[in-house]
Amino acid sequence: MSKPNKAGFFTIAVLMGNISICQAQLNLSNWQVGVNAGTFVYQGDLTPETFGSYKTLKPALGFYISRILNPSFLLRTNIATGRLLGSDARYSSPAYRQQRNLRFTSPVTEISELMVWNMFGNNGNEIGNRFSPYILGGVGISFLNIDRSSNLNKSFFVNEPQVTTGLAVDMNRTPPRTILVVPAGIGVEYFLTSNISLTAETNFRYTFTDYLDGFSQVANPDKKDFYQSHTIGIVFKFNKNKGLPCPVIKR
């Protein structure tokens, strides 16, 4: 192949590659990013409260990136981090809790994939209803490092040997380091502008373990442990029809 032909072939190849890049460029208007902050709420054997231990709240932070599928649905990749805490000693009733005196704490890092349904179909950049309620659900993995302890008053449970036996069984079992979670929640989004909105969200995590707090047999082995979060946040939506610029070829 002569030098001119080689140069022509190279130029055509570069142009074709450049066209392909332009055609495959990311349409940023289909994406949004968000951050939120709030609290994790432990819900398990170490609290008598049905909706979780609001006496042992711990802070939580989150970051996510979402792909808008259509005006009603988006797919969110979510990362949340924080801490869980449960303690029998925080409750004076029923009396056995302070005598059992179980306690745990654990950092939590959660990675999840969520489908979000915007009930008003307002996922675009145009402002329709400024308030847009939404429902979310999906699946995720939580990474834990459970630290547990107990100052059990054995004399108080002398007529309940299953408590002492159950504690021994639990302490001989290694707590989980990773667990599968199924998040499900509700929220509301308020649009400040077409690109910026505020959110308030409650997200409940169903788990498949009774050892989220490191205890089971000493408490209620027939009931799983859960946790939830309450957060507020901000979302940034990229400008409509704005994509990544194509490279410029200099000759």
Side-chain angles (χ1 to χ4, degrees):
M1 183 182 293
S2 65
K3 289 185 178 180
N5 287 338
K6 286 182 179 180
F9 177 80
F10 177 76
T11 301
I12 292 173
V14 172
L15 287 174
M16 292 299 293
N18 187 51
I19 292 172
S20 297
I21 292 174
C22 290
Q23 289 177 340
Q25 66 180 339
L26 181 64
N27 183 0
L28 291 181
S29 67
N30 290 331
W31 296 83
Q32 60 186 39
V33 294
V35 293
N36 54 33
T39 185
F40 274 151
V41 184
Y42 158 73
Q43 188 173 347
D45 296 326
L46 309 192
T47 173
E49 299 175 3
T50 303
F51 297 105
S53 179
Y54 285 84
K55 291 186 177 182
T56 58
L57 301 178
K58 287 297 177 180
L61 296 172
F63 169 81
Y64 55 88
I65 181 168
S66 300
R67 172 73 162 87
I68 298 174
L69 303 178
N70 55 50
S72 296
F73 290 95
L74 58 83
L75 192 63
R76 179 202 291 187
T77 300
N78 194 81
I79 299 175
T81 183
R83 183 172 289 273
L84 293 173
L85 171 64
S87 176
D88 276 340
R90 298 294 182 94
Y91 302 96
S92 58
S93 179
Y96 75 82
R97 287 194 174 273
Q98 293 196 352
Q99 302 302 318
R100 190 176 64 178
N101 202 12
L102 305 177
R103 185 183 187 279
F104 96 101
T105 184
S106 177
V108 179
T109 299
E110 176 193 295
I111 302 174
S112 58
E113 196 69 22
L114 307 172
M115 183 68 74
V116 183
W117 174 38
N118 187 312
M119 299 172 68
F120 288 171
N122 201 23
N123 282 336
N125 289 83
E126 298 84 2
I127 296 180
N129 297 297
R130 285 190 179 270
F131 280 99
S132 290
Y134 59 88
I135 298 174
L136 58 87
V139 65
I141 297 176
S142 288
F143 300 88
L144 311 170
N145 188 9
I146 298 169
D147 181 17
R148 59 189 172 172
S149 63
S150 172
N151 292 317
L152 182 73
N153 182 356
K154 293 183 179 180
S155 63
F156 184 86
F157 296 100
V158 66
N159 295 321
E160 300 178 71
Q162 72 276 11
V163 175
T164 304
T165 302
L167 179 60
V169 171
D170 290 339
M171 297 305 289
N172 285 325
R173 176 165 176 165
T174 302
R177 299 298 297 267
T178 60
I179 61 172
L180 181 68
V181 296
V182 179
I186 59 173
V188 63
E189 185 172 11
Y190 178 76
F191 289 84
L192 298 176
T193 70
S194 60
N195 298 103
I196 299 175
S197 59
L198 303 178
T199 61
E201 183 175 299
T202 292
N203 192 349
F204 173 81
R205 277 77 165 188
Y206 180 86
T207 80
F208 300 88
T209 180
D210 190 31
Y211 279 96
L212 176 64
D213 47 27
F215 299 103
S216 176
Q217 300 302 311
V218 68
N220 186 354
D222 297 324
K223 187 177 180 180
K224 300 292 190 295
D225 299 326
F226 313 109
Y227 68 97
Q228 56 187 287
S229 63
H230 307 300
T231 58
I232 56 174
I234 187 168
V235 179
F236 175 77
K237 304 174 188 291
F238 293 96
N239 289 331
K240 191 171 184 179
N241 297 327
K242 185 176 181 180
L244 294 177
C246 295
V248 177
I249 297 179
K250 296 181 178 180
R251 294 186 295 173

